[in-house]
Amino acid sequence: LVDDMTTIPPSHRDLLERPLFGHLATIRPDGTAQSNPVWYLWDGTTLRFSFSTKQQKHRNVEANPSVALSIHDPDEPYRYLEIRGVIETVEPDPDGGTFFMELNARYNGPFGKSLYPADGAVYTMRPTATSKQG
Amino acid sequence: LVDDMTTIPPSHRDLLERPLFGHLATIRPDGTAQSNPVWYLWDGTTLRFSFSTKQQKHRNVEANPSVALSIHDPDEPYRYLEIRGVIETVEPDPDGGTFFMELNARYNGPFGKSLYPADGAVYTMRPTATSKQG
């Protein structure tokens, strides 16, 4: 693992800060690839996601924590950032959805806390490498 | 492998037909995940991509042909399609970039054929499964 404050290229950090849709590559238990759009929150060190532990993504990262997130700039689509890394922790979302509601607000999402599933969790990804274009 | 005319949900076929940016998950030779934005062309049976054989993506699919493409609708971002499948063939691009120029036209791209690299190739993906939302 590396110091990701030096890993994330400053030229592309805005793609982590803006509420864009990332695409998360995971590896299924049978060793095949999966890709899904995701919400994310960057805190300067790690990326966090909110999934349900009933989703296939959960089974994937439990079997293999390797993931990669790519984000393209909708205003300049040949500009993108890819972050590869590992899911370090899967933890309950405090108070039945506090983190999920933080994401929901960041993305102007349509969800209310009363709909938050009991099986939701916070997935924390530590970056290990990046690539970029544009 | 399955008959993908029945695999691709009709409700989401427009995401393959429109010139959107897909994100392609591949698996690196060391078994870790990678994700990159890509252009694609859907012909009703297979998806085709244009990469350089010098790219990491090439080394990935040579080592493991499993890939997954996800596309979200920029006008309705909770609507998306994921297609999982395998890269069946990697073939030279005819006449030094005919397929690449077809993609470039589809995406209103900025490239001219004179810039097409000698190591470009056409990657053909056969869908085996899909998932969707919205």
Side-chain angles (χ1 to χ4, degrees):
Chain A
L1 300 185
V2 292
D3 173 358
D4 40 70
M5 285 306 287
T6 61
T7 302
I8 308 296
S11 60
H12 288 62
R13 273 186 205 155
D14 66 292
L15 296 176
L16 293 179
E17 290 158 1
R18 293 156 62 192
L20 302 174
F21 286 75
H23 287 248
L24 189 73
T26 55
I27 300 175
R28 296 163 69 89
D30 67 1
T32 61
Q34 178 170 327
S35 181
N36 300 98
V38 295
W39 282 352
Y40 55 87
L41 183 68
W42 167 244
D43 64 12
T45 306
T46 59
L47 282 154
R48 279 179 293 159
F49 312 102
S50 178
F51 308 136
S52 158
T53 57
K54 289 186 177 168
Q55 290 183 310
Q56 181 66 41
K57 281 192 285 290
H58 176 77
R59 294 189 284 277
N60 297 355
V61 301
E62 287 283 309
N64 184 341
S66 172
V67 298
L69 181 75
S70 60
I71 306 159
H72 73 263
D73 187 342
D75 304 323
E76 208 178 326
Y78 301 103
R79 183 168 179 265
Y80 78 79
L81 175 65
E82 180 210 15
I83 303 180
R84 297 193 299 277
V86 289
I87 298 293
E88 276 199 326
T89 60
V90 179
E91 295 171 313
D93 194 329
D95 298 321
T98 298
F99 173 66
F100 178 74
M101 291 313 296
E102 188 179 346
L103 272 182
N104 184 68
R106 165 173 157 81
Y107 283 89
N108 280 316
F111 302 104
K113 193 168 176 178
S114 63
L115 294 177
Y116 187 71
D119 51 26
V122 182
Y123 295 73
T124 301
M125 171 185 173
R126 179 166 298 276
T128 56
T130 66
S131 71
K132 65 180 166 61
Q133 180 180 291
Chain B
L1 300 184
V2 291
D3 174 358
D4 40 71
M5 285 307 288
T6 60
T7 302
I8 309 296
S11 61
H12 288 63
R13 272 186 206 157
D14 66 292
L15 296 175
L16 294 179
E17 290 157 2
R18 292 156 62 192
L20 302 174
F21 285 76
H23 287 249
L24 189 73
T26 56
I27 300 175
R28 296 164 69 90
D30 68 0
T32 61
Q34 178 169 327
S35 181
N36 299 98
V38 295
W39 283 351
Y40 55 87
L41 183 68
W42 167 244
D43 64 11
T45 306
T46 59
L47 282 154
R48 279 179 294 158
F49 312 102
S50 177
F51 308 136
S52 157
T53 57
K54 289 185 176 168
Q55 290 182 310
Q56 181 66 43
K57 280 192 287 290
H58 176 77
R59 294 189 286 277
N60 297 355
V61 300
E62 286 284 309
N64 184 340
S66 173
V67 299
L69 181 75
S70 60
I71 307 158
H72 74 263
D73 187 341
D75 305 323
E76 207 177 328
Y78 301 103
R79 182 169 179 265
Y80 79 80
L81 175 66
E82 180 209 16
I83 303 180
R84 297 193 300 278
V86 290
I87 298 293
E88 275 200 325
T89 60
V90 179
E91 294 172 314
D93 194 330
D95 298 320
T98 299
F99 173 67
F100 179 73
M101 292 313 296
E102 188 179 347
L103 272 183
N104 184 68
R106 164 173 157 82
Y107 283 89
N108 278 317
F111 302 104
K113 192 168 177 179
S114 64
L115 294 176
Y116 188 71
D119 49 26
V122 181
Y123 295 73
T124 301
M125 171 185 172
R126 179 166 297 276
T128 56
T130 67
S131 71
K132 63 181 166 63
Q133 181 180 292

